[in-house]
Amino acid sequence: MNFASDNVHGVHPKVLQALSDCNEGAMGAYGSDPITARAEAVYRELLDAPEAVVRFVATGTGANALVCAQLSPSFGRIYCHDSAHIHRDECSAPEFYSHGAKLVPLQGEHGKFSPDTLAEAIRFGKAGSLNDGRNAMVSITNATEWGTTYAPAEVAALAAVAHEAGLPLHMDGARFANAVAGLGCDAADLTQRVGVDALCFGGTKNGAMGAEAVIFFDPAHAADFDYRRKQAGQVWSKQRYLAAQMLALAEGGLWLDLARHANAAATRLGQGIEQAGGTLVAPVQANEIFARLPAEAHERAISHGAAYHVWQDQPPAKGEPVTVRLVTSWATRDEDVSRLLDLLRGA
Amino acid sequence: MNFASDNVHGVHPKVLQALSDCNEGAMGAYGSDPITARAEAVYRELLDAPEAVVRFVATGTGANALVCAQLSPSFGRIYCHDSAHIHRDECSAPEFYSHGAKLVPLQGEHGKFSPDTLAEAIRFGKAGSLNDGRNAMVSITNATEWGTTYAPAEVAALAAVAHEAGLPLHMDGARFANAVAGLGCDAADLTQRVGVDALCFGGTKNGAMGAEAVIFFDPAHAADFDYRRKQAGQVWSKQRYLAAQMLALAEGGLWLDLARHANAAATRLGQGIEQAGGTLVAPVQANEIFARLPAEAHERAISHGAAYHVWQDQPPAKGEPVTVRLVTSWATRDEDVSRLLDLLRGA
Amino acid sequence: MNFASDNVHGVHPKVLQALSDCNEGAMGAYGSDPITARAEAVYRELLDAPEAVVRFVATGTGANALVCAQLSPSFGRIYCHDSAHIHRDECSAPEFYSHGAKLVPLQGEHGKFSPDTLAEAIRFGKAGSLNDGRNAMVSITNATEWGTTYAPAEVAALAAVAHEAGLPLHMDGARFANAVAGLGCDAADLTQRVGVDALCFGGTKNGAMGAEAVIFFDPAHAADFDYRRKQAGQVWSKQRYLAAQMLALAEGGLWLDLARHANAAATRLGQGIEQAGGTLVAPVQANEIFARLPAEAHERAISHGAAYHVWQDQPPAKGEPVTVRLVTSWATRDEDVSRLLDLLRGA
Amino acid sequence: MNFASDNVHGVHPKVLQALSDCNEGAMGAYGSDPITARAEAVYRELLDAPEAVVRFVATGTGANALVCAQLSPSFGRIYCHDSAHIHRDECSAPEFYSHGAKLVPLQGEHGKFSPDTLAEAIRFGKAGSLNDGRNAMVSITNATEWGTTYAPAEVAALAAVAHEAGLPLHMDGARFANAVAGLGCDAADLTQRVGVDALCFGGTKNGAMGAEAVIFFDPAHAADFDYRRKQAGQVWSKQRYLAAQMLALAEGGLWLDLARHANAAATRLGQGIEQAGGTLVAPVQANEIFARLPAEAHERAISHGAAYHVWQDQPPAKGEPVTVRLVTSWATRDEDVSRLLDLLRGA
């Protein structure tokens, strides 16, 4: 009954198998191997982006921080949601990689900001003097840190605002598969077709061991990116094992199947929580549930071994409802969902 | 017949197996899992260093650059050999991670510098004004970039010079196993017992997929290192898979067996090359051979599919001997060595 | 009638004279001259801090950013007010100099945050995981960016919270003289006696050409600072001319006389604005006035050549009161204050 | 008799006067003042470069490091002479400002490298893998750190090599005036007409207090430079005082007169040293003399109060000739030259 995060779970068997399958023989190092070439091609195809530059790294923080450094100068302003992982949860890796760029947090409900909010912020940055730094890029997370999704039309609207100001749009897709699965759209519909310029396509949270794809839809945005990645210590000598993971996820749509599984578990969990007297804090649109649980339900669940995070700044007050975050994954078992719901209901 | 590098080969089956073996169930993320705890303990034991801080990262460049940033301020001088990987082959990752530290290259035969050379350089740095930066640390590679090794007494002599000036000594051990195997000593004898303060214990070149241990023998040197590693995007959420690789190498002395295999192949190759009319450019003390090959021998080998690097600045002149680098590994097959030697001999 | 900022005015004659007075003869470069030694001693005395390390730089941004880099690692959290100059107005120089430190903005009325707000923020940072970065330092501005001051007891209370968490307290004193003058206290009473660890003692806004003193009260905080300053390009070869400026300000209490003059003009202007139907947005405690002016008063003043900044995010709506910032300085003439007040009153 | 450096001397009276002359009244801050505008125009004219972007900063290290950061990415290779100030004497400020660029030192007699040496180094960098970093820029110092000069044709030849590889050419002109004076050419002949892309036009060593002009001949090279300068803390709020210094030097050709004076003193000193039994280590082409002095002559000079630097790595051996550096300046008096020569001759 571990709902602490999607990264507490292991690696999908097909991903593990892929590591064995590519193990034979000598291959070129640092990405000059055929597995990497194939994986890059597969992701270009998956995103219907024949010109895109695709590169693989092992961590989401590495992927996001590299994109920030690639698209923003040290004196840049990077607009993101106040709850964005790049702003809140990466130990200021984007600032480090970019050598000082300013993350400018925007407000908005359920982890999303609106085109108007973005436009207003960009206007301020543009009107500003040197003191404010230079408008550099916009970053959204999809699915968001509150388990919600930006639909293609919403992404398009944000992209329009960003592009009008000459700013590229980055999508932190640590849970990109869950967003696509939740929205029932195409990967391309959610990205290059609606103006996304750079995508971090997450593998790790979705069954990989440690693998993310960094994708620049316009090769001009990727100029010299290989040097940057190398200098950051994010290039593997045995790159085939990064590529093989991402290949396995792409193969036969495994990435989507796994995300659908996780999302379905989240939906069921969210509905069950409401039935058990809890309240959803944000709509469940991907694989995360943010909810307020009755105190006794929470205590019962915890005391019987359920694992998830309390998600409030203050320690819970005695007897008061507790705000929590639960995350489902490709590895979440139906019986664990059932068991947790039983506990919450006091059944 | 691929002798281009030790990183063109795959992953040892036992390492692959270990990835599967640790796959079951949910575990704490970001290193709070039992596999990581066990692996850290095993390396402390292997190095007879119960107080040491052990951390795992996926790339050698990441490992080295993190240590440089940890032990040198941005205005520090880092003394290393002119051929050091950190100076020549990491796209200035140490400068990037440390935000500007100066790598000061020292001369010396076969990839090694002497205590006198080091002492002289440190003296200059110490006498210098602010303009020169501040003496910060010393880094040696063992086995070196020229396939030679520093014996324990040699390390001790360098450590004495470094410590007298208050500088910590770092060992880039991308091929540490090959050094230990070549010297026939103990891992501890080559490190903490002779004054090494920080060790990058390489796994990748020795049969891992992508795994290195960063070890600080004095915990004071590791202060806040976890933040630094996180900010650099070098912390895996599913850390167990990094740890499991290093554990598999440690288990039953696999790391040493693999290095001995590679070294033996190198020794045989080196001797065979001399018999075939080649000349060794540096003594073969680990798993790399630097040699001058007769032009026709080289051309014959290449034309029959042997892969290795020409190792000279100028393109080879027609008919002149060619300086080359050959690297053996855990995966080098005896028959490949035989075949290459046959080719070189014109047999 | 230029109230745009205190840095639109020139250099006080005594400061200019000091530049001539120290011009004769050869002197040691890079700070090894007797003027610098004397100026450092004078500021140690002025602050009753015989052990303090005093250094001079030419710009306030340089001074603040150097202190941030000195007291925070790249993965540090720097707590400051949401309106802090280091957060809002230095083009992310602190992030650049520190290589990525996170400025964590705190809320509070009139440019000041409370000890409780600080304690709460520090608690969150401490409880946090690696993702949040490490608590590193606290920075306050005095006088604040809203023209208010922290009194000695207020500074002491913030210092107590910071120190309990092991964090040093920095005071951005771009308008330190105005704070001391406004509070009627001693420079030492507002700094080292109440727990300030590092002070940027501004000269530029108070009649210097371009000169600030960076002061670390505990020499341990200043370790290697000279290297850092050099690497940042903030060391002058002809350092005497930086020192001479600061000496001239210290001499005979000129710094305080000038600040008192500026403050008095601000007080008079603030009172006059209220009498003219304006409203003060923040109390006038130093040399800045933030006020809402009736639209017609504002338009009259502007159209007659008064210079000051509109201080609101949105363009003023027709006929609505306008929020403005006015800054007085050592060079503000009484007749300019009178003239502006006449205009505002429609006299 | 101070020949330690050109920065041990004070400020030329006309420069001091200019500071007073521009002191009256309020002016726009951060460079939006008429003095700055005029000074920028004057330097564009002086260099016959109507499109050039001209900016002023206070220190040579700041100027050079800003240019390096502007023209090189963090993973760039910057080619310079082994004795270059940016490589040897700026506490790795270029690495810090650029976040890790690699200074690649080139060899060559008397502080100069040849087009062939440069071409060879660039070729290596180009052929290299990611490991080597990316070729980024070329930097020469003129006059060099060995008191010699690159003539216009020599600069043109280096520029041709650099430009063929797509690299911009930077000239560190801390002693640019001395180079122009020594060569008897035009400022434009030595820069934009022969392919220099960025020039640091030094004022400080030539009679200013602390002022350098950074000039980009192609505005495209200066994109966003104002943000970079701001973030580095190198923008003065009272910018007029930086500009006024540079204006005073330009006025009536003062900069050239001062440099000619310094050069003439150097020439006389160099000739006198040879007559006194010393040997010149490098030709005297600007305002620095590098010479080997007989031991007794050196001791006599020092013991009578002459100040200059011993310029050898090892402490001088008893009775052996001593290699020294002497620097003349705008402020060097004829009688000091005479007195030193008398001492050296034992007169």
Side-chain angles (χ1 to χ4, degrees):
Chain A
M1 279 195 304
N2 194 321
F3 299 93
S5 184
D6 24 20
N7 55 33
V8 301
H9 296 286
V11 178
H12 190 273
K14 287 190 181 169
V15 174
L16 268 184
Q17 186 58 46
L19 296 176
S20 298
D21 290 349
C22 75
N23 197 43
E24 210 47 49
M27 292 186 189
Y30 302 116
S32 64
D33 64 273
I35 317 280
T36 297
R38 186 139 55 88
E40 292 181 3
V42 163
Y43 276 83
R44 282 195 296 267
E45 201 174 332
L46 194 156
L47 291 155
D48 189 21
E51 305 297 325
V53 171
V54 177
R55 292 294 183 269
F56 305 110
V57 297
T59 69
T61 294
N64 285 330
L66 280 169
V67 171
C68 289
Q70 183 72 9
L71 300 181
S72 171
S74 61
F75 41 80
R77 293 167 74 86
I78 300 176
Y79 296 98
C80 63
H81 193 272
D82 187 44
S83 66
H85 201 262
I86 59 170
H87 180 51
R88 292 277 175 195
D89 288 300
E90 297 186 345
C91 199
S92 57
E95 288 92 336
F96 171 75
Y97 269 63
S98 69
H99 318 293
K102 193 85 179 179
L103 299 203
V104 182
L106 305 180
Q107 303 300 321
E109 215 186 13
H110 302 148
K112 298 164 63 177
F113 54 83
S114 71
D116 281 355
T117 298
L118 177 60
E120 176 67 25
I122 288 176
R123 199 152 40 228
F124 175 83
K126 199 160 190 177
S129 66
L130 288 183
N131 291 13
D132 300 306
R134 201 204 74 187
N135 284 335
M137 64 181 275
V138 178
S139 177
I140 58 175
T141 314
N142 207 11
T144 74
E145 286 78 6
W146 285 94
T148 55
T149 53
Y150 286 101
E154 294 175 295
V155 176
L158 291 169
V161 172
H163 292 168
E164 175 151 344
L167 310 187
L169 177 63
H170 164 243
M171 185 178 283
D172 172 357
R175 296 187 179 98
F176 179 69
N178 303 97
V180 171
L183 291 162
C185 66
D186 206 80
D189 290 338
L190 197 54
T191 53
Q192 52 96 347
R193 288 196 193 120
V194 287
V196 169
D197 297 287
L199 170 66
C200 294
F201 190 128
T204 312
K205 287 179 157 69
N206 195 31
M209 179 176 288
E212 315 275 316
V214 178
I215 295 138
F216 296 99
F217 292 104
D218 178 350
H221 282 137
D224 287 335
F225 182 72
D226 287 337
Y227 288 105
R228 191 179 299 282
R229 189 168 55 118
K230 172 71 191 172
Q231 185 174 36
Q234 297 284 356
V235 170
W236 280 26
S237 55
K238 300 182 177 175
Q239 188 90 223
R240 59 172 123 166
Y241 300 97
L242 275 180
Q245 295 178 58
M246 294 304 288
L247 255 184
L249 287 178
E251 194 108 356
L254 179 62
W255 68 288
L256 260 183
D257 292 344
L258 299 183
R260 284 192 195 110
H261 173 89
N263 287 10
T267 302
R268 196 181 144 219
L269 200 46
Q271 289 167 347
I273 283 171
E274 286 190 301
Q275 289 157 8
T279 325
L280 295 182
V281 171
V284 177
Q285 297 174 339
N287 66 323
E288 295 190 283
I289 303 102
F290 293 84
R292 286 167 66 79
L293 300 179
E296 66 278 23
H298 168 63
E299 279 150 27
R300 200 160 45 233
I302 293 298
S303 68
H304 284 78
Y308 52 79
H309 284 292
V310 171
W311 213 253
Q312 55 188 39
D313 286 350
Q314 303 297 336
K318 188 77 193 155
E320 290 295 301
V322 184
T323 303
V324 304
R325 185 192 78 164
L326 302 112
V327 189
T328 59
S329 89
W330 68 273
T332 300
R333 290 172 302 186
D334 281 350
E335 60 259 40
D336 282 342
V337 174
S338 301
R339 179 130 183 265
L340 176 57
L341 289 177
D342 284 349
L343 285 167
L344 292 176
R345 278 192 302 257
Chain B
M1 281 195 303
N2 193 322
F3 299 92
S5 185
D6 25 18
N7 56 33
V8 300
H9 297 286
V11 178
H12 190 273
K14 288 191 180 168
V15 174
L16 268 184
Q17 187 57 44
L19 295 176
S20 298
D21 291 349
C22 75
N23 198 42
E24 209 49 48
M27 292 186 190
Y30 302 116
S32 64
D33 64 272
I35 317 279
T36 296
R38 186 139 56 88
E40 292 181 2
V42 161
Y43 276 83
R44 282 196 295 268
E45 200 174 333
L46 194 157
L47 291 154
D48 189 21
E51 305 297 326
V53 171
V54 177
R55 292 294 183 268
F56 305 110
V57 297
T59 69
T61 294
N64 284 330
L66 280 169
V67 170
C68 289
Q70 183 72 8
L71 299 183
S72 171
S74 62
F75 41 78
R77 293 166 75 84
I78 301 177
Y79 295 98
C80 63
H81 193 272
D82 187 44
S83 65
H85 202 262
I86 59 171
H87 180 50
R88 293 277 175 195
D89 289 300
E90 297 186 344
C91 199
S92 57
E95 288 92 337
F96 170 74
Y97 269 63
S98 69
H99 318 294
K102 192 86 178 179
L103 299 203
V104 182
L106 306 181
Q107 303 300 321
E109 216 185 12
H110 302 149
K112 298 163 64 178
F113 55 82
S114 70
D116 281 356
T117 297
L118 177 60
E120 177 66 26
I122 289 176
R123 200 152 40 227
F124 175 83
K126 199 159 189 178
S129 67
L130 288 183
N131 291 13
D132 299 306
R134 202 205 73 188
N135 285 335
M137 65 180 276
V138 178
S139 177
I140 58 176
T141 314
N142 207 12
T144 74
E145 286 79 5
W146 285 94
T148 54
T149 52
Y150 286 101
E154 294 176 296
V155 176
L158 291 169
V161 172
H163 292 169
E164 175 153 344
L167 310 185
L169 178 64
H170 164 242
M171 185 179 282
D172 171 357
R175 295 186 179 100
F176 179 69
N178 303 99
V180 172
L183 291 162
C185 64
D186 207 80
D189 290 338
L190 198 54
T191 53
Q192 53 95 350
R193 289 195 192 121
V194 287
V196 169
D197 297 287
L199 170 67
C200 294
F201 191 128
T204 312
K205 287 180 158 68
N206 196 31
M209 179 176 289
E212 315 275 316
V214 177
I215 295 138
F216 296 99
F217 292 104
D218 178 350
H221 283 136
D224 286 334
F225 183 72
D226 287 338
Y227 288 105
R228 191 179 299 282
R229 189 167 55 118
K230 172 71 191 171
Q231 185 175 36
Q234 296 284 357
V235 170
W236 281 25
S237 56
K238 300 181 178 177
Q239 189 90 223
R240 58 172 123 165
Y241 300 97
L242 274 180
Q245 295 179 57
M246 294 304 288
L247 254 184
L249 286 178
E251 193 108 358
L254 178 62
W255 67 289
L256 260 183
D257 292 344
L258 299 182
R260 284 192 195 113
H261 174 89
N263 287 10
T267 302
R268 197 182 143 218
L269 199 46
Q271 290 167 346
I273 283 172
E274 287 190 301
Q275 289 157 7
T279 325
L280 295 182
V281 170
V284 178
Q285 297 174 338
N287 67 322
E288 295 190 284
I289 302 102
F290 294 84
R292 286 167 66 79
L293 299 179
E296 66 277 26
H298 168 63
E299 277 149 28
R300 201 160 45 231
I302 294 297
S303 68
H304 285 79
Y308 52 81
H309 284 292
V310 171
W311 212 253
Q312 53 189 40
D313 287 349
Q314 303 297 334
K318 186 79 192 154
E320 290 295 302
V322 184
T323 305
V324 303
R325 186 192 77 165
L326 302 113
V327 190
T328 58
S329 90
W330 70 272
T332 299
R333 290 171 303 185
D334 282 350
E335 60 260 38
D336 282 343
V337 174
S338 301
R339 179 131 183 266
L340 176 57
L341 289 177
D342 284 348
L343 285 167
L344 292 176
R345 278 191 302 257
Chain C
M1 281 196 305
N2 195 321
F3 300 93
S5 184
D6 25 19
N7 55 33
V8 301
H9 297 287
V11 178
H12 191 273
K14 288 191 179 167
V15 174
L16 268 185
Q17 186 58 45
L19 296 176
S20 298
D21 290 349
C22 74
N23 197 44
E24 209 48 48
M27 291 186 190
Y30 302 116
S32 63
D33 64 89
I35 316 280
T36 296
R38 186 138 56 89
E40 291 181 4
V42 161
Y43 276 83
R44 282 196 296 267
E45 201 174 332
L46 193 157
L47 291 154
D48 189 20
E51 305 298 326
V53 171
V54 178
R55 292 294 182 268
F56 305 110
V57 297
T59 70
T61 294
N64 284 329
L66 279 169
V67 170
C68 289
Q70 182 74 8
L71 299 183
S72 171
S74 61
F75 41 79
R77 294 168 75 85
I78 300 176
Y79 296 98
C80 63
H81 193 272
D82 188 43
S83 65
H85 201 262
I86 59 170
H87 180 50
R88 293 277 176 195
D89 289 300
E90 298 186 343
C91 198
S92 57
E95 288 92 336
F96 171 74
Y97 269 62
S98 69
H99 318 293
K102 194 85 179 179
L103 300 202
V104 182
L106 305 181
Q107 303 300 321
E109 216 185 11
H110 301 149
K112 296 163 65 177
F113 54 83
S114 71
D116 281 355
T117 297
L118 176 61
E120 177 66 25
I122 288 177
R123 199 153 39 228
F124 176 83
K126 198 159 189 178
S129 66
L130 288 184
N131 291 13
D132 299 306
R134 201 205 74 186
N135 285 335
M137 64 180 276
V138 178
S139 177
I140 58 176
T141 313
N142 207 13
T144 75
E145 286 79 6
W146 286 94
T148 54
T149 53
Y150 286 102
E154 294 175 296
V155 176
L158 291 169
V161 172
H163 292 169
E164 174 151 345
L167 309 186
L169 177 63
H170 164 242
M171 184 179 282
D172 172 357
R175 296 186 179 99
F176 179 69
N178 303 98
V180 171
L183 291 161
C185 65
D186 206 79
D189 289 339
L190 198 55
T191 53
Q192 51 97 347
R193 289 197 192 120
V194 287
V196 169
D197 297 287
L199 169 67
C200 294
F201 190 128
T204 312
K205 287 179 158 68
N206 196 31
M209 179 177 289
E212 315 276 316
V214 177
I215 295 139
F216 296 99
F217 292 104
D218 178 350
H221 282 137
D224 286 334
F225 182 72
D226 287 338
Y227 288 105
R228 191 178 300 282
R229 188 167 56 117
K230 172 71 190 172
Q231 186 174 36
Q234 297 283 356
V235 170
W236 280 26
S237 56
K238 300 182 178 176
Q239 189 89 222
R240 58 172 123 166
Y241 301 97
L242 275 180
Q245 295 178 59
M246 294 304 288
L247 255 185
L249 286 178
E251 194 108 356
L254 178 63
W255 67 289
L256 261 183
D257 292 344
L258 298 183
R260 284 193 195 110
H261 173 90
N263 287 10
T267 301
R268 194 180 146 222
L269 199 47
Q271 289 167 347
I273 283 172
E274 287 190 302
Q275 288 157 8
T279 325
L280 295 183
V281 171
V284 177
Q285 297 174 338
N287 67 321
E288 295 190 282
I289 303 101
F290 293 84
R292 286 168 67 78
L293 300 179
E296 65 279 23
H298 167 64
E299 278 149 27
R300 199 160 47 232
I302 293 299
S303 68
H304 285 77
Y308 53 79
H309 284 291
V310 171
W311 212 254
Q312 53 188 40
D313 286 350
Q314 303 297 336
K318 187 78 191 154
E320 289 296 303
V322 184
T323 304
V324 304
R325 185 192 77 164
L326 302 112
V327 190
T328 58
S329 89
W330 69 273
T332 300
R333 290 172 303 186
D334 281 351
E335 62 259 39
D336 282 343
V337 174
S338 301
R339 177 128 185 269
L340 175 58
L341 289 176
D342 284 349
L343 285 167
L344 292 176
R345 278 191 302 258
Chain D
M1 281 194 305
N2 195 322
F3 300 93
S5 185
D6 25 19
N7 56 32
V8 302
H9 298 286
V11 178
H12 190 272
K14 288 191 179 166
V15 174
L16 268 185
Q17 186 58 44
L19 296 176
S20 298
D21 290 349
C22 75
N23 197 43
E24 209 49 48
M27 292 187 190
Y30 302 116
S32 63
D33 63 273
I35 316 279
T36 296
R38 186 140 55 88
E40 292 181 3
V42 162
Y43 276 83
R44 282 196 296 268
E45 200 173 332
L46 193 156
L47 291 154
D48 190 21
E51 304 297 327
V53 171
V54 178
R55 293 294 183 269
F56 305 111
V57 297
T59 69
T61 294
N64 284 330
L66 280 168
V67 170
C68 289
Q70 183 73 8
L71 298 182
S72 171
S74 61
F75 41 80
R77 294 166 74 84
I78 301 177
Y79 296 98
C80 63
H81 193 273
D82 188 44
S83 65
H85 202 263
I86 59 170
H87 181 49
R88 293 277 176 195
D89 288 301
E90 298 185 343
C91 199
S92 57
E95 289 91 336
F96 170 75
Y97 269 62
S98 69
H99 319 294
K102 193 85 178 179
L103 299 203
V104 182
L106 305 181
Q107 302 301 321
E109 216 184 11
H110 301 148
K112 297 163 65 177
F113 54 83
S114 70
D116 281 354
T117 297
L118 177 61
E120 176 66 26
I122 289 176
R123 200 153 39 227
F124 175 83
K126 199 159 188 178
S129 66
L130 288 183
N131 291 12
D132 300 306
R134 201 204 74 187
N135 285 335
M137 65 179 276
V138 178
S139 178
I140 58 176
T141 313
N142 207 11
T144 74
E145 286 78 7
W146 285 94
T148 55
T149 53
Y150 286 101
E154 293 176 296
V155 175
L158 292 168
V161 172
H163 293 169
E164 175 152 343
L167 310 186
L169 178 63
H170 163 243
M171 185 179 282
D172 171 358
R175 295 187 179 100
F176 179 69
N178 303 98
V180 172
L183 291 161
C185 65
D186 207 80
D189 290 338
L190 197 55
T191 54
Q192 53 94 349
R193 288 195 193 120
V194 287
V196 169
D197 298 286
L199 170 68
C200 294
F201 192 128
T204 312
K205 286 179 158 68
N206 196 31
M209 179 176 289
E212 315 276 315
V214 177
I215 295 139
F216 296 98
F217 292 104
D218 178 350
H221 282 138
D224 286 335
F225 183 73
D226 286 339
Y227 288 105
R228 191 179 299 283
R229 189 167 56 117
K230 173 71 191 169
Q231 186 174 35
Q234 297 283 357
V235 170
W236 281 25
S237 56
K238 301 182 178 177
Q239 189 90 223
R240 58 171 123 165
Y241 300 98
L242 274 180
Q245 295 178 58
M246 293 304 289
L247 256 184
L249 287 178
E251 193 109 358
L254 178 62
W255 67 289
L256 260 184
D257 292 344
L258 299 182
R260 284 193 196 111
H261 173 89
N263 287 10
T267 301
R268 195 181 145 220
L269 200 46
Q271 290 167 347
I273 283 172
E274 286 190 302
Q275 289 158 6
T279 325
L280 294 182
V281 170
V284 178
Q285 298 175 339
N287 66 323
E288 295 190 283
I289 301 103
F290 293 84
R292 286 167 67 78
L293 299 179
E296 66 278 24
H298 168 63
E299 278 150 27
R300 201 159 47 232
I302 294 297
S303 68
H304 286 77
Y308 52 79
H309 284 291
V310 171
W311 213 253
Q312 53 189 40
D313 287 350
Q314 303 298 333
K318 185 81 191 152
E320 290 295 302
V322 184
T323 304
V324 304
R325 186 191 77 165
L326 302 113
V327 190
T328 59
S329 90
W330 68 272
T332 299
R333 290 171 302 184
D334 282 350
E335 60 259 39
D336 282 343
V337 174
S338 300
R339 178 129 185 267
L340 176 57
L341 289 177
D342 284 348
L343 285 168
L344 292 177
R345 278 192 302 257

